[in-house]
Amino acid sequence: MCVSAFAEEVKSSSTTTNPAGTPGQVIAGVKTTAYTHDESDHIEYGARTAAGTPLRHGQIRSAAADWSIYPVGTVFQIKGDPSLYVVDDYGSALVGTRTIDLYKPTQGMMHSWGTRHVTIHVLKWGSFSRSLAILKPRAYKAWHVREMVARIQSRPA
């Protein structure tokens, strides 16, 4: 799917939630890092996301975050980058932070990105209920999943 078609789908979606603001929100100074599927802590999952989809790096790209801050399905752009990013993964180092980890298909690209503070434009906020549906059955496995579940459940209704 091309970026423009995906962007139109995002804009016309009626299933968005509004956890931190409204679609169109601009957030400056977001810390970003990068990861790849062949890092030692991701190797057991292969090239798949926590949401169960293939990791993407093209016009539409995968991103990992704390789902209690940026719920699964959150779509954003980075200022100056025409690509669209979709939060479809999470990682233990991200829980309790506002850091977003961007998927890169190679270690070279991952290292080249390093750590950057960027401005993001949120096109669509994801779903906390969908995040919980994915996380709850995994909560017994890892502290960071339990932490995200607890943070989402403690959010005001």
Side-chain angles (χ1 to χ4, degrees):
M1 177 181 287
C2 72
V3 169
S4 59
F6 187 74
E8 284 307 310
E9 180 181 310
V10 165
K11 288 176 188 171
S12 66
S13 173
S14 61
T15 60
T16 60
T17 58
N18 195 355
T22 58
Q25 182 176 9
V26 174
I27 306 170
V30 176
K31 181 179 178 183
T32 61
T33 52
Y35 73 107
T36 190
H37 62 278
D38 59 1
E39 285 182 280
S40 62
D41 62 343
H42 202 281
I43 247 171
E44 68 180 284
Y45 307 108
R48 298 199 70 74
T49 68
T53 58
L55 285 162
R56 297 181 280 188
H57 189 273
Q59 292 179 325
I60 301 168
R61 300 176 178 196
S62 293
D66 177 340
W67 287 4
S68 68
I69 297 169
Y70 301 103
V72 68
T74 298
V75 179
F76 65 93
Q77 281 186 293
I78 294 174
K79 184 177 180 182
D81 181 348
S83 303
L84 292 178
Y85 294 84
V86 179
V87 175
D88 55 10
D89 213 351
Y90 59 77
S92 60
L94 303 170
V95 175
T97 74
R98 296 196 169 277
T99 301
I100 298 175
D101 213 2
L102 307 173
Y103 172 69
K104 304 294 181 183
T106 68
Q107 293 224 1
M109 291 173 78
M110 177 187 76
H111 292 300
S112 178
W113 183 266
T115 299
R116 300 181 192 184
H117 288 82
V118 301
T119 297
I120 66 168
H121 177 209
V122 179
L123 301 174
K124 173 191 166 200
W125 284 99
S127 167
F128 287 115
S129 60
R130 184 165 168 240
S131 297
L132 278 176
I134 294 168
L135 293 170
K136 274 186 167 182
R138 303 173 185 182
Y140 74 94
K141 293 181 181 182
W143 70 267
H144 64 285
V145 175
R146 287 189 296 278
E147 183 68 24
M148 286 188 288
V149 167
R151 287 172 185 251
I152 293 170
Q153 290 177 327
S154 70
R155 292 183 61 80

